[in-house]
């Protein structure tokens, strides 16, 4: 099997969680920590998470959905009311 490339938007945080950043419509960036044991739910073909986001300064709302395969590799991502920020663009906040 070939080596798996890291997803451009979903950053592993150790073996138990992931970090993602969402830019809302006003441009505010919100960082989320997605815990495998608390937020990510098993599905028939892998795992799924849906997070409602409220940006703290602008109060913009967005909804993040990520579908993972059985090895927790993202296979589909969707943001309503914003966009995922690529890891290469992350700056310390």
């Amino acid at each position: 099997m070939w080596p798996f490339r890291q997803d451009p938007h979903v950053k592993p945080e150790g073996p138990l969680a992931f970090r993602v950043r969402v830019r809302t419509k006003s441009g505010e960036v919100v960082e989320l920590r997605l815990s495998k044991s608390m937020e990510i739910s098993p599905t028939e073909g892998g795992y799924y998470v849906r997070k409602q986001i409220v940006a703290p300064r602008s109060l913009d709302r967005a909804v993040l959905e990520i579908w993972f395969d059985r090895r927790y590799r993202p296979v589909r991502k969707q943001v309503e009311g914003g966009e995922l920020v690529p890891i290469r663009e992350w700056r310390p906040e």
Side-chain angles (χ1 to χ4, degrees):
M1 187 169 180
W2 63 92
F4 182 71
R5 248 184 54 200
Q6 180 176 331
D7 185 87
H9 301 102
V10 181
K11 184 176 184 179
E13 183 181 80
L16 303 177
F18 298 97
R19 292 248 179 221
V20 296
R21 290 187 182 178
V22 173
R23 182 178 295 115
T24 64
K25 288 183 179 182
S26 70
E28 184 172 354
V29 175
V30 179
E31 182 171 332
L32 303 167
R33 181 179 187 276
L34 307 173
S35 165
K36 288 181 181 178
S37 62
M38 300 297 286
E39 284 119 353
I40 301 174
S41 303
T43 64
E44 197 171 302
Y47 300 91
Y48 171 78
V49 63
R50 182 179 195 271
K51 282 289 265 198
Q52 299 220 16
I53 302 161
V54 178
R57 290 186 288 280
S58 64
L59 300 179
D60 282 347
R61 295 180 181 273
V63 177
L64 167 69
E65 293 180 283
I66 304 176
W67 291 262
F68 298 88
D69 67 11
R70 290 187 175 143
R71 291 184 171 181
Y72 286 99
R73 296 179 297 202
V75 293
R76 184 172 159 218
K77 301 165 286 192
Q78 179 176 311
V79 180
E80 183 180 315
E83 64 182 1
L84 285 165
V85 179
I87 294 168
R88 71 178 185 279
E89 294 179 15
W90 290 16
R91 290 171 182 62
E93 295 201 5

